[in-house]
Amino acid sequence: DSGGAALGVTGVSYGSSKNIVVLETDPQTFGVAYTISVTGSIVKLVAPMIGLAENTSADFVVTTYGYEKNVPASAEYLLYADLDLPLSPNYNYPNIPDYSYGTVPFDEFDRVAYFMELESETFGHQWVWVDLDPLSDKINKHGLPVDVLNFHHEGAKGPANIVSNQPNIAPEGSVTEDINVEMWYKDYGTSNTLAIPGASSSKFDFGDVRSSGGNYGSFQ
């Protein structure tokens, strides 16, 4: 409830395990805090998720998912491809990601954006958006750089606009800065051969070097 007004529950199901119960409710109002009271034990879908003891109450707030609701600038973009990442993907040759594609053809474009969204019991709901100048004049070379598609991107790019709900990424919610791109399907090493400012030559970070073989891959 919120201020004494009841919120109807329209569906109940298990989450990723039977230790998690997911409640579907009547429409909720963004920004309004609700209180849930339970008999037994339930998991609260906020960060971090917690278990509630029997006959106790806890507050929760509405979580908004997707770039359209979290990134106002996304209104200027059209969806090219969407990918539901599996827990154990296999993108070795000849496999390709199982994308869902948008309905608008991309004959011309002057800006691209990436949006990643995760949710877990430990870290809750996390998302980040990055938009930057195109990495290629071909739209199909902006996805995961898997072996069968035979492309890679690397080096300094920018400026990029970064928006996130994680303060360690964007302390004020958004930031604009130059970035270094490391997108390839092969192995890589720690040597900072491109002399990326601030990068290490002895640790894996944002200044690594692509190898000529292997299939470990990088997407950052």
Side-chain angles (χ1 to χ4, degrees), residues 102-182:
T103 58
V104 179
F106 282 78
D107 297 325
E108 297 181 358
F109 54 97
D110 59 10
R111 196 80 176 169
V112 295
Y114 295 88
F115 180 78
M116 174 171 281
E117 188 171 40
L118 304 171
E119 188 169 55
S120 68
E121 294 184 40
T122 302
F123 300 107
H125 182 226
Q126 300 173 294
W127 58 264
V128 61
W129 160 287
V130 179
D131 67 74
L132 68 162
D133 289 337
L135 302 172
S136 167
D137 59 359
K138 294 179 172 55
I139 191 64
N140 65 346
K141 292 190 176 181
H142 286 85
L144 293 180
V146 296
D147 191 350
V148 69
L149 297 179
N150 192 30
F151 72 87
H152 67 271
H153 305 299
E154 58 186 306
K157 309 290 181 182
N161 298 316
I162 305 168
V163 187
S164 177
N165 68 344
Q166 300 301 299
N168 60 317
I169 296 176
E172 302 299 326
S174 64
V175 63
T176 299
E177 59 184 29
D178 292 337
I179 61 174
N180 181 49
V181 171
E182 299 180 1

Side-chain angles (χ1 to χ4, degrees), residues 30 62-66 69-70 117 125 127:
F30 179 72
V62 179
T63 298
T64 55
Y65 297 94
K69 293 183 178 179
N70 287 299
E117 188 171 40
H125 182 226
W127 58 264

Side-chain angles (χ1 to χ4, degrees), residues 13-41:
S13 61
Y14 286 120
S16 57
S17 73
K18 290 190 176 181
N19 293 323
I20 299 176
V21 177
V22 179
L23 303 180
E24 298 179 16
T25 71
D26 291 336
Q28 302 174 21
T29 302
F30 179 72
V32 173
Y34 296 85
T35 299
I36 182 171
S37 299
V38 302
T39 300
S41 180

Side-chain angles (χ1 to χ4, degrees), residues 76-106:
E76 302 177 12
Y77 291 77
L78 297 173
L79 177 66
Y80 168 67
D82 181 57
L83 178 62
D84 186 5
L85 289 170
L87 292 177
S88 300
N90 178 10
Y91 296 139
N92 292 329
Y93 186 89
N95 299 328
I96 61 174
D98 187 18
Y99 292 113
S100 297
Y101 293 95
T103 58
V104 179
F106 282 78

